Amino acid sequence: MFHQKYGFQFNVKEYERVKPEDKDGIVEFLSSDLFPGIGEKVAQKIVDVLGDNALEEIINDKSCLLLVPKLGNKKIDLIYNTLVQYEESHKMIVYLTELGFVMRDALLVYNLYKGRTIEVIENNIYRLVDDIDEINFIKIDNIAKNMNIELDSIERIKACIFYIMKDLTFKSGDTYLYIEDIYQCTIKYLHLDLDYNYFNELIDELS
């Protein structure tokens, strides 16, 4: 589409992170900053021995690198571990962006949880509100709705109470809050008929 100020624009709906497939691309990839200590000469030797499917072969069985002359165990582990992490990060970032995270937030989440990202998100996505300051409750709540999480889930209510308390504190500048104010703001946001006694129990659990 054409924007009056910025000119032609692209509307990107999805992307795919791909590994190089031709020999020159693989040499360039393996000698990049992703693989410190693996220069162009070593990368070329790897490609000469393993061919166009070098990266797949390494991921499937790193012992194939033993076929490359003068390639020590430290470098073999470095290459293998970096490739595995590269594959893992791609999988996690795609998962997060498909849920609705913008790229910046997806990277924040992945950099914190790494290989546990999917486990943490599916177990309790509202945990992110406590763990990552840059991602607030409203963002997480909107994404959680796409995951069909129950609107009256205890995790959602607790996270909302915590968010409301912080919001009221910042707006008023006070460190003392009335529980009735917290209650009214919470039920207003959640659109739930929340039992007052149950609400007090959750407050006690958060304290």
Side-chain angles (χ1 to χ4, degrees):
M1 64 179 180
F2 185 83
H3 191 281
Q4 289 281 357
K5 183 176 181 180
Y6 300 109
F8 286 105
Q9 307 288 300
F10 291 97
N11 183 13
V12 179
K13 295 189 176 181
E14 63 181 51
Y15 79 99
E16 182 180 359
R17 185 177 183 180
V18 296
K19 299 190 295 294
E21 295 180 352
D22 63 280
K23 290 184 178 180
D24 290 341
I26 296 172
V27 170
E28 184 178 355
F29 179 65
L30 289 174
S31 58
S32 70
D33 292 340
L34 279 173
F35 303 87
I38 308 299
E40 187 174 342
K41 289 183 179 180
V42 175
Q44 185 64 60
K45 287 181 181 179
I46 293 172
V47 173
D48 288 343
V49 172
L50 301 179
D52 292 348
N53 294 321
L55 301 181
E56 285 72 20
E57 289 195 30
I58 295 168
I59 290 175
N60 290 333
D61 183 6
K62 69 177 181 179
S63 65
C64 69
L65 287 169
L66 293 171
L67 299 173
V68 181
K70 298 181 180 179
L71 191 63
N73 287 329
K74 285 186 178 180
K75 288 188 176 180
I76 288 175
D77 288 340
L78 169 67
I79 294 168
Y80 173 76
N81 292 334
T82 303
L83 277 176
V84 169
Q85 186 176 10
Y86 184 88
E87 290 284 295
E88 175 190 88
S89 65
H90 170 232
K91 177 184 176 183
M92 299 299 178
I93 294 300
V94 168
Y95 167 79
L96 291 168
T97 54
E98 286 179 347
L99 282 181
F101 286 92
V102 299
M103 182 60 68
R104 171 186 169 276
D105 292 344
L107 290 170
L108 286 171
V109 174
Y110 174 72
N111 286 333
L112 177 62
Y113 301 122
K114 300 293 185 183
R116 296 172 52 244
T117 297
I118 294 177
E119 175 191 347
V120 169
I121 294 291
E122 294 187 350
N123 184 51
N124 178 16
I125 189 173
Y126 290 100
R127 172 177 169 178
L128 275 62
V129 179
D130 290 332
D131 291 350
I132 306 175
D133 292 335
E134 295 88 345
I135 304 179
N136 63 33
F137 170 78
I138 295 176
K139 284 184 181 180
I140 297 301
D141 199 39
N142 287 331
I143 292 170
K145 290 172 184 176
N146 297 331
M147 299 173 64
N148 296 319
I149 293 176
E150 296 293 334
L151 296 179
D152 61 351
S153 73
I154 189 171
E155 292 83 9
R156 180 175 187 249
I157 297 172
K158 281 185 174 181
C160 184
I161 293 171
F162 187 67
Y163 162 72
I164 293 297
M165 291 173 67
K166 287 176 63 177
D167 188 56
L168 289 175
T169 299
F170 289 142
K171 284 180 178 177
S172 67
D174 296 328
T175 55
Y176 181 88
L177 299 172
Y178 290 102
I179 193 167
E180 183 64 29
D181 291 340
I182 302 170
Y183 174 70
Q184 292 298 329
C185 288
T186 300
I187 60 174
K188 182 179 180 181
Y189 178 89
L190 293 175
H191 300 292
L192 291 175
D193 184 16
L194 190 62
D195 180 77
Y196 189 73
N197 291 328
Y198 178 56
F199 171 81
N200 274 280
E201 290 176 9
L202 296 181
I203 287 282
D204 289 340
E205 291 179 15
L206 287 169
S207 61

PDB file of all heavy atoms in Angstrom, residues 127-150:
ATOM      1  N   ARG A 127       2.338 -15.041  34.530  1.00  0.00           N
ATOM      2  CA  ARG A 127       3.611 -14.982  35.247  1.00  0.00           C
ATOM      3  C   ARG A 127       4.518 -13.905  34.645  1.00  0.00           C
ATOM      4  O   ARG A 127       5.345 -13.324  35.336  1.00  0.00           O
ATOM      5  CB  ARG A 127       4.287 -16.348  35.177  1.00  0.00           C
ATOM      6  CG  ARG A 127       5.698 -16.372  35.728  1.00  0.00           C
ATOM      7  CD  ARG A 127       6.285 -17.757  35.690  1.00  0.00           C
ATOM      8  NE  ARG A 127       7.705 -17.751  35.973  1.00  0.00           N
ATOM      9  CZ  ARG A 127       8.469 -18.830  36.041  1.00  0.00           C
ATOM     10  NH1 ARG A 127       7.935 -20.021  35.844  1.00  0.00           N
ATOM     11  NH2 ARG A 127       9.750 -18.748  36.309  1.00  0.00           N
ATOM     12  N   LEU A 128       4.345 -13.639  33.363  1.00  0.00           N
ATOM     13  CA  LEU A 128       5.184 -12.662  32.674  1.00  0.00           C
ATOM     14  C   LEU A 128       5.033 -11.264  33.268  1.00  0.00           C
ATOM     15  O   LEU A 128       5.964 -10.458  33.212  1.00  0.00           O
ATOM     16  CB  LEU A 128       4.847 -12.611  31.173  1.00  0.00           C
ATOM     17  CG  LEU A 128       5.540 -13.641  30.275  1.00  0.00           C
ATOM     18  CD1 LEU A 128       5.156 -15.074  30.650  1.00  0.00           C
ATOM     19  CD2 LEU A 128       5.208 -13.388  28.813  1.00  0.00           C
ATOM     20  N   VAL A 129       3.853 -10.984  33.830  1.00  0.00           N
ATOM     21  CA  VAL A 129       3.608  -9.665  34.417  1.00  0.00           C
ATOM     22  C   VAL A 129       4.587  -9.403  35.557  1.00  0.00           C
ATOM     23  O   VAL A 129       5.089  -8.282  35.725  1.00  0.00           O
ATOM     24  CB  VAL A 129       2.153  -9.557  34.915  1.00  0.00           C
ATOM     25  CG1 VAL A 129       1.908  -8.193  35.558  1.00  0.00           C
ATOM     26  CG2 VAL A 129       1.171  -9.780  33.765  1.00  0.00           C
ATOM     27  N   ASP A 130       4.868 -10.430  36.349  1.00  0.00           N
ATOM     28  CA  ASP A 130       5.809 -10.303  37.467  1.00  0.00           C
ATOM     29  C   ASP A 130       7.257 -10.369  36.995  1.00  0.00           C
ATOM     30  O   ASP A 130       8.122  -9.690  37.543  1.00  0.00           O
ATOM     31  CB  ASP A 130       5.579 -11.412  38.493  1.00  0.00           C
ATOM     32  CG  ASP A 130       4.283 -11.236  39.255  1.00  0.00           C
ATOM     33  OD1 ASP A 130       3.833 -10.081  39.406  1.00  0.00           O
ATOM     34  OD2 ASP A 130       3.712 -12.248  39.688  1.00  0.00           O
ATOM     35  N   ASP A 131       7.509 -11.190  35.988  1.00  0.00           N
ATOM     36  CA  ASP A 131       8.898 -11.476  35.593  1.00  0.00           C
ATOM     37  C   ASP A 131       9.505 -10.448  34.646  1.00  0.00           C
ATOM     38  O   ASP A 131      10.724 -10.280  34.612  1.00  0.00           O
ATOM     39  CB  ASP A 131       8.979 -12.858  34.932  1.00  0.00           C
ATOM     40  CG  ASP A 131       8.732 -13.985  35.923  1.00  0.00           C
ATOM     41  OD1 ASP A 131       8.681 -13.703  37.135  1.00  0.00           O
ATOM     42  OD2 ASP A 131       8.593 -15.140  35.485  1.00  0.00           O
ATOM     43  N   ILE A 132       8.666  -9.769  33.859  1.00  0.00           N
ATOM     44  CA  ILE A 132       9.190  -8.851  32.843  1.00  0.00           C
ATOM     45  C   ILE A 132       8.528  -7.488  33.003  1.00  0.00           C
ATOM     46  O   ILE A 132       7.355  -7.306  32.675  1.00  0.00           O
ATOM     47  CB  ILE A 132       8.952  -9.395  31.418  1.00  0.00           C
ATOM     48  CG1 ILE A 132       9.529 -10.806  31.277  1.00  0.00           C
ATOM     49  CG2 ILE A 132       9.571  -8.465  30.374  1.00  0.00           C
ATOM     50  CD1 ILE A 132       9.235 -11.465  29.955  1.00  0.00           C
ATOM     51  N   ASP A 133       9.285  -6.513  33.491  1.00  0.00           N
ATOM     52  CA  ASP A 133       8.725  -5.184  33.769  1.00  0.00           C
ATOM     53  C   ASP A 133       8.208  -4.494  32.509  1.00  0.00           C
ATOM     54  O   ASP A 133       7.258  -3.705  32.569  1.00  0.00           O
ATOM     55  CB  ASP A 133       9.790  -4.295  34.424  1.00  0.00           C
ATOM     56  CG  ASP A 133      10.149  -4.753  35.827  1.00  0.00           C
ATOM     57  OD1 ASP A 133       9.304  -5.416  36.459  1.00  0.00           O
ATOM     58  OD2 ASP A 133      11.274  -4.461  36.273  1.00  0.00           O
ATOM     59  N   GLU A 134       8.844  -4.772  31.368  1.00  0.00           N
ATOM     60  CA  GLU A 134       8.491  -4.068  30.137  1.00  0.00           C
ATOM     61  C   GLU A 134       7.178  -4.542  29.512  1.00  0.00           C
ATOM     62  O   GLU A 134       6.673  -3.931  28.571  1.00  0.00           O
ATOM     63  CB  GLU A 134       9.610  -4.218  29.095  1.00  0.00           C
ATOM     64  CG  GLU A 134      10.928  -3.557  29.480  1.00  0.00           C
ATOM     65  CD  GLU A 134      11.826  -4.482  30.294  1.00  0.00           C
ATOM     66  OE1 GLU A 134      11.332  -5.513  30.793  1.00  0.00           O
ATOM     67  OE2 GLU A 134      13.031  -4.179  30.421  1.00  0.00           O
ATOM     68  N   ILE A 135       6.629  -5.647  30.022  1.00  0.00           N
ATOM     69  CA  ILE A 135       5.381  -6.178  29.468  1.00  0.00           C
ATOM     70  C   ILE A 135       4.308  -6.110  30.552  1.00  0.00           C
ATOM     71  O   ILE A 135       4.387  -6.804  31.554  1.00  0.00           O
ATOM     72  CB  ILE A 135       5.548  -7.633  28.986  1.00  0.00           C
ATOM     73  CG1 ILE A 135       6.685  -7.724  27.960  1.00  0.00           C
ATOM     74  CG2 ILE A 135       4.250  -8.132  28.367  1.00  0.00           C
ATOM     75  CD1 ILE A 135       6.932  -9.119  27.439  1.00  0.00           C
ATOM     76  N   ASN A 136       3.303  -5.260  30.336  1.00  0.00           N
ATOM     77  CA  ASN A 136       2.309  -5.054  31.395  1.00  0.00           C
ATOM     78  C   ASN A 136       1.122  -6.014  31.294  1.00  0.00           C
ATOM     79  O   ASN A 136       1.000  -6.784  30.347  1.00  0.00           O
ATOM     80  CB  ASN A 136       1.821  -3.591  31.403  1.00  0.00           C
ATOM     81  CG  ASN A 136       1.098  -3.209  30.116  1.00  0.00           C
ATOM     82  OD1 ASN A 136       0.431  -4.030  29.488  1.00  0.00           O
ATOM     83  ND2 ASN A 136       1.232  -1.948  29.713  1.00  0.00           N
ATOM     84  N   PHE A 137       0.272  -5.929  32.291  1.00  0.00           N
ATOM     85  CA  PHE A 137      -0.865  -6.846  32.395  1.00  0.00           C
ATOM     86  C   PHE A 137      -1.804  -6.753  31.202  1.00  0.00           C
ATOM     87  O   PHE A 137      -2.305  -7.770  30.713  1.00  0.00           O
ATOM     88  CB  PHE A 137      -1.640  -6.554  33.688  1.00  0.00           C
ATOM     89  CG  PHE A 137      -2.952  -7.279  33.774  1.00  0.00           C
ATOM     90  CD1 PHE A 137      -2.992  -8.622  34.119  1.00  0.00           C
ATOM     91  CD2 PHE A 137      -4.146  -6.625  33.492  1.00  0.00           C
ATOM     92  CE1 PHE A 137      -4.198  -9.298  34.192  1.00  0.00           C
ATOM     93  CE2 PHE A 137      -5.357  -7.300  33.559  1.00  0.00           C
ATOM     94  CZ  PHE A 137      -5.381  -8.639  33.910  1.00  0.00           C
ATOM     95  N   ILE A 138      -2.059  -5.543  30.719  1.00  0.00           N
ATOM     96  CA  ILE A 138      -3.014  -5.365  29.625  1.00  0.00           C
ATOM     97  C   ILE A 138      -2.547  -6.104  28.367  1.00  0.00           C
ATOM     98  O   ILE A 138      -3.341  -6.765  27.693  1.00  0.00           O
ATOM     99  CB  ILE A 138      -3.236  -3.866  29.332  1.00  0.00           C
ATOM    100  CG1 ILE A 138      -3.894  -3.193  30.539  1.00  0.00           C
ATOM    101  CG2 ILE A 138      -4.078  -3.676  28.088  1.00  0.00           C
ATOM    102  CD1 ILE A 138      -4.082  -1.707  30.403  1.00  0.00           C
ATOM    103  N   LYS A 139      -1.259  -6.011  28.066  1.00  0.00           N
ATOM    104  CA  LYS A 139      -0.714  -6.735  26.912  1.00  0.00           C
ATOM    105  C   LYS A 139      -0.915  -8.239  27.074  1.00  0.00           C
ATOM    106  O   LYS A 139      -1.372  -8.925  26.160  1.00  0.00           O
ATOM    107  CB  LYS A 139       0.785  -6.445  26.755  1.00  0.00           C
ATOM    108  CG  LYS A 139       1.126  -5.089  26.177  1.00  0.00           C
ATOM    109  CD  LYS A 139       2.635  -4.986  25.985  1.00  0.00           C
ATOM    110  CE  LYS A 139       3.035  -3.631  25.420  1.00  0.00           C
ATOM    111  NZ  LYS A 139       4.512  -3.553  25.237  1.00  0.00           N
ATOM    112  N   ILE A 140      -0.550  -8.733  28.249  1.00  0.00           N
ATOM    113  CA  ILE A 140      -0.656 -10.173  28.500  1.00  0.00           C
ATOM    114  C   ILE A 140      -2.110 -10.626  28.477  1.00  0.00           C
ATOM    115  O   ILE A 140      -2.440 -11.692  27.942  1.00  0.00           O
ATOM    116  CB  ILE A 140      -0.013 -10.528  29.862  1.00  0.00           C
ATOM    117  CG1 ILE A 140       1.490 -10.214  29.841  1.00  0.00           C
ATOM    118  CG2 ILE A 140      -0.248 -11.998  30.199  1.00  0.00           C
ATOM    119  CD1 ILE A 140       2.260 -10.960  28.778  1.00  0.00           C
ATOM    120  N   ASP A 141      -3.006  -9.818  29.037  1.00  0.00           N
ATOM    121  CA  ASP A 141      -4.409 -10.193  29.097  1.00  0.00           C
ATOM    122  C   ASP A 141      -5.012 -10.292  27.698  1.00  0.00           C
ATOM    123  O   ASP A 141      -5.809 -11.190  27.414  1.00  0.00           O
ATOM    124  CB  ASP A 141      -5.184  -9.180  29.937  1.00  0.00           C
ATOM    125  CG  ASP A 141      -6.519  -9.720  30.429  1.00  0.00           C
ATOM    126  OD1 ASP A 141      -6.573 -10.908  30.800  1.00  0.00           O
ATOM    127  OD2 ASP A 141      -7.493  -8.953  30.437  1.00  0.00           O
ATOM    128  N   ASN A 142      -4.631  -9.391  26.824  1.00  0.00           N
ATOM    129  CA  ASN A 142      -5.134  -9.441  25.446  1.00  0.00           C
ATOM    130  C   ASN A 142      -4.652 -10.695  24.725  1.00  0.00           C
ATOM    131  O   ASN A 142      -5.396 -11.319  23.959  1.00  0.00           O
ATOM    132  CB  ASN A 142      -4.685  -8.193  24.678  1.00  0.00           C
ATOM    133  CG  ASN A 142      -5.444  -6.953  25.103  1.00  0.00           C
ATOM    134  OD1 ASN A 142      -6.602  -7.037  25.523  1.00  0.00           O
ATOM    135  ND2 ASN A 142      -4.816  -5.794  25.010  1.00  0.00           N
ATOM    136  N   ILE A 143      -3.400 -11.071  24.968  1.00  0.00           N
ATOM    137  CA  ILE A 143      -2.864 -12.281  24.341  1.00  0.00           C
ATOM    138  C   ILE A 143      -3.513 -13.524  24.953  1.00  0.00           C
ATOM    139  O   ILE A 143      -3.821 -14.484  24.249  1.00  0.00           O
ATOM    140  CB  ILE A 143      -1.333 -12.324  24.487  1.00  0.00           C
ATOM    141  CG1 ILE A 143      -0.702 -11.214  23.642  1.00  0.00           C
ATOM    142  CG2 ILE A 143      -0.772 -13.687  24.080  1.00  0.00           C
ATOM    143  CD1 ILE A 143       0.767 -11.010  23.876  1.00  0.00           C
ATOM    144  N   ALA A 144      -3.733 -13.499  26.259  1.00  0.00           N
ATOM    145  CA  ALA A 144      -4.339 -14.641  26.949  1.00  0.00           C
ATOM    146  C   ALA A 144      -5.738 -14.936  26.407  1.00  0.00           C
ATOM    147  O   ALA A 144      -6.156 -16.099  26.348  1.00  0.00           O
ATOM    148  CB  ALA A 144      -4.408 -14.366  28.451  1.00  0.00           C
ATOM    149  N   LYS A 145      -6.438 -13.896  25.989  1.00  0.00           N
ATOM    150  CA  LYS A 145      -7.777 -14.100  25.432  1.00  0.00           C
ATOM    151  C   LYS A 145      -7.711 -14.923  24.152  1.00  0.00           C
ATOM    152  O   LYS A 145      -8.619 -15.700  23.851  1.00  0.00           O
ATOM    153  CB  LYS A 145      -8.440 -12.750  25.178  1.00  0.00           C
ATOM    154  CG  LYS A 145      -8.821 -12.016  26.451  1.00  0.00           C
ATOM    155  CD  LYS A 145      -9.307 -10.601  26.181  1.00  0.00           C
ATOM    156  CE  LYS A 145      -9.584  -9.858  27.491  1.00  0.00           C
ATOM    157  NZ  LYS A 145      -9.966  -8.442  27.273  1.00  0.00           N
ATOM    158  N   ASN A 146      -6.626 -14.743  23.393  1.00  0.00           N
ATOM    159  CA  ASN A 146      -6.446 -15.539  22.169  1.00  0.00           C
ATOM    160  C   ASN A 146      -6.153 -17.004  22.483  1.00  0.00           C
ATOM    161  O   ASN A 146      -6.273 -17.865  21.615  1.00  0.00           O
ATOM    162  CB  ASN A 146      -5.302 -14.968  21.333  1.00  0.00           C
ATOM    163  CG  ASN A 146      -5.585 -13.560  20.845  1.00  0.00           C
ATOM    164  OD1 ASN A 146      -6.740 -13.189  20.641  1.00  0.00           O
ATOM    165  ND2 ASN A 146      -4.541 -12.765  20.664  1.00  0.00           N
ATOM    166  N   MET A 147      -5.726 -17.265  23.715  1.00  0.00           N
ATOM    167  CA  MET A 147      -5.408 -18.632  24.136  1.00  0.00           C
ATOM    168  C   MET A 147      -6.608 -19.309  24.801  1.00  0.00           C
ATOM    169  O   MET A 147      -6.498 -20.420  25.309  1.00  0.00           O
ATOM    170  CB  MET A 147      -4.223 -18.607  25.109  1.00  0.00           C
ATOM    171  CG  MET A 147      -2.938 -18.030  24.522  1.00  0.00           C
ATOM    172  SD  MET A 147      -1.630 -17.827  25.772  1.00  0.00           S
ATOM    173  CE  MET A 147      -1.333 -19.542  26.246  1.00  0.00           C
ATOM    174  N   ASN A 148      -7.733 -18.612  24.798  1.00  0.00           N
ATOM    175  CA  ASN A 148      -8.971 -19.150  25.387  1.00  0.00           C
ATOM    176  C   ASN A 148      -8.837 -19.478  26.869  1.00  0.00           C
ATOM    177  O   ASN A 148      -9.442 -20.430  27.367  1.00  0.00           O
ATOM    178  CB  ASN A 148      -9.430 -20.398  24.621  1.00  0.00           C
ATOM    179  CG  ASN A 148      -9.795 -20.089  23.183  1.00  0.00           C
ATOM    180  OD1 ASN A 148     -10.422 -19.071  22.902  1.00  0.00           O
ATOM    181  ND2 ASN A 148      -9.391 -20.956  22.271  1.00  0.00           N
ATOM    182  N   ILE A 149      -8.031 -18.675  27.566  1.00  0.00           N
ATOM    183  CA  ILE A 149      -7.913 -18.842  29.018  1.00  0.00           C
ATOM    184  C   ILE A 149      -9.188 -18.317  29.686  1.00  0.00           C
ATOM    185  O   ILE A 149      -9.713 -17.271  29.302  1.00  0.00           O
ATOM    186  CB  ILE A 149      -6.670 -18.096  29.549  1.00  0.00           C
ATOM    187  CG1 ILE A 149      -5.405 -18.775  29.016  1.00  0.00           C
ATOM    188  CG2 ILE A 149      -6.661 -18.048  31.079  1.00  0.00           C
ATOM    189  CD1 ILE A 149      -4.131 -18.074  29.379  1.00  0.00           C
ATOM    190  N   GLU A 150      -9.692 -19.048  30.659  1.00  0.00           N
ATOM    191  CA  GLU A 150     -10.932 -18.668  31.334  1.00  0.00           C
ATOM    192  C   GLU A 150     -10.818 -17.264  31.931  1.00  0.00           C
ATOM    193  O   GLU A 150      -9.812 -16.924  32.563  1.00  0.00           O
ATOM    194  CB  GLU A 150     -11.258 -19.667  32.448  1.00  0.00           C
ATOM    195  CG  GLU A 150     -11.548 -21.078  31.955  1.00  0.00           C
ATOM    196  CD  GLU A 150     -12.835 -21.160  31.148  1.00  0.00           C
ATOM    197  OE1 GLU A 150     -13.725 -20.306  31.374  1.00  0.00           O
ATOM    198  OE2 GLU A 150     -12.944 -22.055  30.301  1.00  0.00           O
TER     199      GLU A 150
END
